Amino acid sequence: MTTKVLIVDDSSVSRKMIKKSLPPEWDVAITEAANGIEALEQYKLGVADVMFLDLTMPELDGYGVLEQIQKDGLNSMIIVISADIQPEAAERVKKLGAMAFIKKPIDTEKLSAVLKEHGII
Amino acid sequence: MSEDFEDLMTNEHYEVLTEVVNIGMGQAGDSLARFLGVFIRLSIPRIKLVKADDLRKQLVELVGNDVEVTGVRQAFFTHWYGEAITLFDQGGSKDLAKLMHYPDDMDKETEKELFLDVGNLLSGACVNGVSEQFGIELNYSPPSILSQNVFVEDLFAADKMAWTHSLLMEVNFSMEEYKFKSHLLIMMTEESIETLAKDLERFMERY
């Protein structure tokens, strides 16, 4: 069964790195968003079974996306992938409903471990 | 602007470098957060190729010129050659002193030591965070005070620059509920831009 994946990051390079790090055997349909506003628009269109979300972005940051999704009471499987590696950043996003936090730079090993831990693959 | 330097760095080079600097900045923010025991707000990195005689104008655009700053400089060398310059807004120095348990009435010499310590921590963590992603080890000079309590436009004199073009990278760090703000500038001059461009190409081959 194909999993719908939304990759949210203002850096096209980072989005490319995340795509390259997805487990090769995982059957996915990928949509991309370059900021929080685009992410929420795409999310509401139902393109995300799983969302990979950056934190530091223009327009609306990752915290803002999580707050809005929490406020709207939407079901979500959101994994934050961020260069902001402060322990408090990870605590904050988990309180806002993120299921996991992965430190950049991303690689297949880190990503697969989190996806397996949460029963996604 | 020399076409040679414009040609060396394409849009893709800038995009890759921005992401690499973003990761380095995250490591610097984490070091500062652990050092001070507070949450640090990070910016989106900004990167520009600048000419020496345009540097002051570009710095004012990036940093502003409304408050006095103290600058701490630290050179790095071996594979890349450049400088990391940490600017501290004067208004936030009391916050920094408070978080570090320094006395309210600290003298100029103590304040200088405080800026040198924090400047060293930020520039070392960020530049290391960048170079580690390329598997490169750099050497550093000891940190020194560039200027104390000056406006940004007075930090550098264009006629004293030993270079004509520089890659200027800027990130900034601030704290919730405090006035503290610090800008970290990483500058790499002509001789390193070509090396860096090749390093960025090799970096992207992994992806």
Side-chain angles (χ1 to χ4, degrees), chain A residues 43 45 50 72 95 106-107 114:
Chain A
Y43 190 78
L45 291 174
V50 176
D72 293 346
K95 276 184 193 159
I106 189 71
D107 59 43
V114 168

Side-chain angles (χ1 to χ4, degrees), chain A residues 9-14 16-17 20-21 56-58 61 63 83-89 92 104-106, chain B residues 12 15-16 19 22-23 26-27 29-30 33-34 38-44 133 176 203-204 206-207:
Chain A
D9 200 306
D10 58 319
S11 162
S12 63
V13 171
S14 182
K16 193 172 171 183
M17 289 174 171
K20 186 79 179 177
S21 301
T56 311
M57 294 185 289
D61 65 16
Y63 296 106
D84 186 349
I85 58 172
Q86 299 173 74
E88 195 174 332
R92 287 184 181 200
K104 286 183 179 178
I106 189 71
Chain B
E12 191 179 8
E15 283 180 18
V16 177
E19 183 57 17
N22 184 40
I23 292 169
Q27 296 187 8
D30 183 48
R34 289 171 193 272
V38 293
F39 184 69
I40 303 295
R41 285 225 172 260
L42 307 174
S43 67
I44 295 170
Q133 293 175 72
E176 291 168 347
F203 180 87
M204 272 321 283
R206 288 185 243 163
Y207 298 95

Side-chain angles (χ1 to χ4, degrees), chain B residues 116-128:
Chain B
L116 284 172
D117 282 348
V118 179
N120 188 28
L121 178 134
L122 280 176
S123 61
C126 190
V127 178
N128 259 332

Side-chain angles (χ1 to χ4, degrees), chain B residues 9 60 72 79 82 111 126 132 134-135 138 140 146-147 158 163-164 168-169 173 181 192 207:
Chain B
M9 292 287 290
V60 168
V72 174
H79 182 80
E111 186 185 65
C126 190
E132 276 172 5
F134 297 92
L138 296 172
Y140 298 89
L146 170 66
S147 302
W163 46 269
T164 58
L168 175 63
M169 300 162 240
F173 307 89
K181 188 162 190 184
S192 290
Y207 298 95

Side-chain angles (χ1 to χ4, degrees), chain B residues 4 6 9 15 19 21 25-26 68 83-84 88-89 100 119 141 151 156 159 175 191 197:
Chain B
D4 290 345
E6 280 190 347
M9 292 287 290
E15 283 180 18
E19 183 57 17
V21 171
M25 172 187 67
E68 290 183 352
E83 286 201 23
F88 297 96
D89 284 11
M100 294 281 293
S141 69
F151 287 104
F156 299 100
D159 58 350
M175 296 175 198
E191 65 264 34

